[in-house]
Amino acid sequence: MTIKAVPLATWPTPLEPAMRLAGAIGLEELWVKRDDLTGLGGGGNKVRKLQYTCAQAVEAGATGVVTTGAPQSNHARLTAAAAARLGLSCTLVLAGTAPEAMRGNLLLDELAGARIVWAGTDPLAEVAAAQDGYVIPFGGTNAVSAQGYVDCAKELLTQLPDLDTVVVALGSGGTMAGLVAQLGPERVLGVDVGALPDPRATVAGLLDEMLAPAESGMWAAGGTETGAVSESLRIDSGQVGAGYATVTEPVRAAMRLAARTEGIFLDPTYTGRAMAGLCAAKPRGKVVFLHTGGLPGLLA
């Protein structure tokens, strides 16, 4: 299978030292991979995935795209921005009902020209299937789009060849899967945000698709058999709290710490949880925190 991408940003994103934050947490060395600075539509990790899913849509001859998410979905915002860049129409199928005021990501969705369909309590996938356009999956994640984080891992190995651990939020699974495919499971710590009922199985399933015999060259660093992937994945499930839509005190503390030591703003759903997981794990050696964006959601 040939995987291609449409250009939506300028790479590589910066890798910045975070010495004050490292000292506050008790780490030997900490770097921040600034995928919040991907440029398009307010930035964030979904841009890397959309370069592949939008390429599939264009190749299929689509004139519009459809995707799903929560009301403050970062993926939905960036899908709207990517569609605008590529001259495609965009329909966003969002859970629940319209709020009284359009804030945060919702405001940006409308600004980019997206049509918003509120699904109420109906299954998002069913409502999306009834719309007109090429359907991009939840979170923009499939085995093809996860290649975007194989690309990111290659950037990291150029920027910091002897890195020991990358810490990343684990939402729909594609970001972690792409990193693991290139770096191996021992060098990636995913912090579950509560978006999936079984994140371990989801990431393992994506890797099984990515690392099928025809694509086995992606498994460059780890040397792990795909059948053992699920057991070898490093996942912190201790930051979910009462659920995806809630905020815990450790997450609030992590957000304050990052802002007050490095001037880096995190969101409460993804990067805040990832930073709380980093603070709890305190990995040794050269640690990279992958900042996946999400600031507009905080402003909601």
Side-chain angles (χ1 to χ4, degrees), residues 21-39:
L21 181 55
I25 297 172
L27 303 180
E28 301 164 38
E29 190 172 330
L30 177 63
W31 299 77
V32 181
K33 177 66 167 167
R34 299 298 302 269
D35 268 19
D36 58 319
L37 302 179
T38 47

Side-chain angles (χ1 to χ4, degrees), residues 9-131:
T10 301
W11 313 109
T13 54
L15 182 69
E16 300 176 345
M19 295 173 19
R20 281 175 44 78
L21 181 55
I25 297 172
L27 303 180
E28 301 164 38
E29 190 172 330
L30 177 63
W31 299 77
V32 181
K33 177 66 167 167
R34 299 298 302 269
D35 268 19
D36 58 319
L37 302 179
T38 47
L40 177 75
N45 65 318
K46 303 300 183 180
V47 175
R48 291 189 189 268
K49 299 178 184 181
L50 284 161
Q51 292 197 137
Y52 288 92
T53 51
C54 286
Q56 290 179 305
V58 170
E59 187 174 356
T63 58
V65 293
V66 180
T67 199
T68 61
Q72 287 297 326
S73 167
N74 297 307
H75 164 64
R77 166 189 30 108
L78 285 168
T79 300
R85 174 75 61 87
L86 297 170
L88 304 172
S89 67
C90 179
T91 299
L92 305 176
V93 177
L94 304 180
T97 57
E100 292 183 6
M102 304 294 271
R103 297 189 177 96
N105 279 314
L106 284 171
L107 178 63
L108 300 180
D109 295 340
E110 287 201 333
L111 193 61
R115 169 177 168 259
I116 299 176
V117 175
W118 294 96
T121 58
D122 293 337
L124 293 178
E126 292 182 12
V127 179
Q131 309 304 313

Side-chain angles (χ1 to χ4, degrees), residues 27-274:
L27 303 180
E28 301 164 38
E29 190 172 330
L30 177 63
W31 299 77
V32 181
K33 177 66 167 167
R34 299 298 302 269
D35 268 19
D36 58 319
L37 302 179
T38 47
L40 177 75
N45 65 318
K46 303 300 183 180
V47 175
R48 291 189 189 268
K49 299 178 184 181
L50 284 161
Q51 292 197 137
Y52 288 92
T53 51
C54 286
Q56 290 179 305
V58 170
E59 187 174 356
T63 58
V65 293
V66 180
T67 199
T68 61
Q72 287 297 326
S73 167
N74 297 307
H75 164 64
R77 166 189 30 108
L78 285 168
T79 300
R85 174 75 61 87
L86 297 170
L88 304 172
S89 67
C90 179
T91 299
L92 305 176
V93 177
L94 304 180
T97 57
E100 292 183 6
M102 304 294 271
R103 297 189 177 96
N105 279 314
L106 284 171
L107 178 63
L108 300 180
D109 295 340
E110 287 201 333
L111 193 61
R115 169 177 168 259
I116 299 176
V117 175
W118 294 96
T121 58
D122 293 337
L124 293 178
E126 292 182 12
V127 179
Q131 309 304 313
D132 184 22
Y134 183 94
V135 177
I136 293 175
F138 168 75
T141 291
N142 57 27
V144 172
S145 69
Q147 175 67 28
Y149 272 87
V150 174
D151 299 341
C152 180
K154 290 177 180 178
E155 285 180 16
L156 280 170
L157 290 173
T158 299
Q159 294 169 318
L160 192 66
D162 53 348
L163 68 87
D164 293 294
T165 301
V166 179
V167 179
V168 63
L170 169 50
S172 57
T175 300
M176 181 177 181
L179 293 172
V180 170
Q182 182 65 31
L183 299 175
E186 70 283 352
R187 290 202 282 180
V188 181
L189 173 61
V191 181
D192 181 17
V193 305
L196 298 170
D198 191 343
R200 183 176 297 276
T202 297
V203 175
L206 287 166
L207 284 162
D208 280 343
E209 288 187 64
M210 295 174 72
L211 307 175
E215 307 296 330
S216 58
M218 289 184 187
W219 195 250
T224 302
E225 294 295 329
T226 57
V229 165
S230 180
E231 291 302 316
S232 64
L233 293 173
R234 298 174 60 197
I235 296 176
D236 173 5
S237 299
Q239 308 304 325
V240 175
Y244 176 81
T246 65
V247 186
T248 67
E249 185 50 43
V251 171
R252 288 191 181 93
M255 292 170 65
R256 286 192 293 266
L257 186 64
R260 294 175 186 182
T261 57
E262 299 290 346
I264 291 176
F265 299 114
L266 307 177
D267 80 287
T269 305
Y270 294 93
T271 51
R273 279 190 169 102

